[in-house]
């Protein structure tokens, strides 16, 4: 697994932050699914709880919550993740990634659910969040 880019959304402030996951924590994220809650220590936010909301693989295919497993699948759909809206509601086949984190995931999206003792900007400015 190369490096994993993580985008963390802070709903309280309405901001998002980007960081990279340390190589020591990458193996602990493999096998988790969209909707799983993790400890913030994996992304440099000790004391925080984060929920995985999505991501994309190394080729840019988005992860979709309803698709089990880590592999790519071609699905028939007409809206939602991985689809552009169509005014005629025409269904199309699209390639998407399953909901499980694997070695081929390049970006993860997460949202803060429980806050820690320190502010997120303070942790990232001090260099602890940028790996």
């Amino acid at each position: 697994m190369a490096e994993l880019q993580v985008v963390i959304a802070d709903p309280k402030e309405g901001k998002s932050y980007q960081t990279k996951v340390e190589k020591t924590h990458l193996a602990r994220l493999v096998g988790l699914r969209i909707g799983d809650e993790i400890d913030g220590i994996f992304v440099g936010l000790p004391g925080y709880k984060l929920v995985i909301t999505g991501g994309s693989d190394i080729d840019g295919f988005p992860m979709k919550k309803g698709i089990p497993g880590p592999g790519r699948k071609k699905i028939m759909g007409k809206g939602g993740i991985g689809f552009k809206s169509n005014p005629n509601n025409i269904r199309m086949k699209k390639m998407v990634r399953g909901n499980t984190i694997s070695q081929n995931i390049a970006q993860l999206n997460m949202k803060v659910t429980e806050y820690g003792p320190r502010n997120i900007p303070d942790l990232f400015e001090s260099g602890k969040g940028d790996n």
Side-chain angles (χ1 to χ4, degrees):
M1 185 181 230
E3 60 184 37
L4 182 65
Q5 191 79 15
V6 178
V7 179
I8 302 164
D10 182 5
K12 187 191 295 185
E13 297 291 323
K15 295 182 179 180
S16 61
Y17 304 92
Q18 283 188 339
T19 186
K20 294 178 184 170
V21 175
E22 291 181 15
K23 292 186 181 197
T24 57
H25 297 307
L26 284 176
R28 294 184 183 186
L29 295 176
V30 173
L32 295 177
R33 295 186 173 123
I34 294 176
D36 287 349
E37 190 172 67
I38 65 165
D39 191 15
I41 195 75
F42 297 127
V43 293
L45 296 173
Y48 282 76
K49 295 284 183 185
L50 306 166
V51 65
I52 300 169
T53 58
S56 61
D57 67 2
I58 55 177
D59 294 323
F61 293 108
M63 294 174 71
K64 193 159 174 84
K65 188 174 185 176
I67 308 297
R72 290 185 192 162
K73 295 189 175 49
K74 201 164 213 179
I75 62 170
M76 186 72 114
K78 64 177 182 177
I81 303 295
F83 294 94
K84 292 184 180 178
S85 63
N86 191 331
N88 299 328
N89 287 329
I90 296 173
R91 293 175 42 165
M92 298 170 52
K93 281 191 173 184
K94 289 289 184 171
M95 184 75 76
V96 294
R97 174 71 65 176
N99 66 355
T100 307
I101 299 172
S102 68
Q103 300 287 334
N104 295 323
I105 299 298
Q107 178 199 351
L108 272 181
N109 303 327
M110 297 185 182
K111 180 173 72 170
V112 177
T113 55
E114 290 182 26
Y115 290 86
R118 294 181 60 190
N119 291 334
I120 296 175
D122 295 339
L123 291 168
F124 285 141
E125 286 176 8
S126 66
K128 292 183 181 177
D130 294 329
N131 298 326

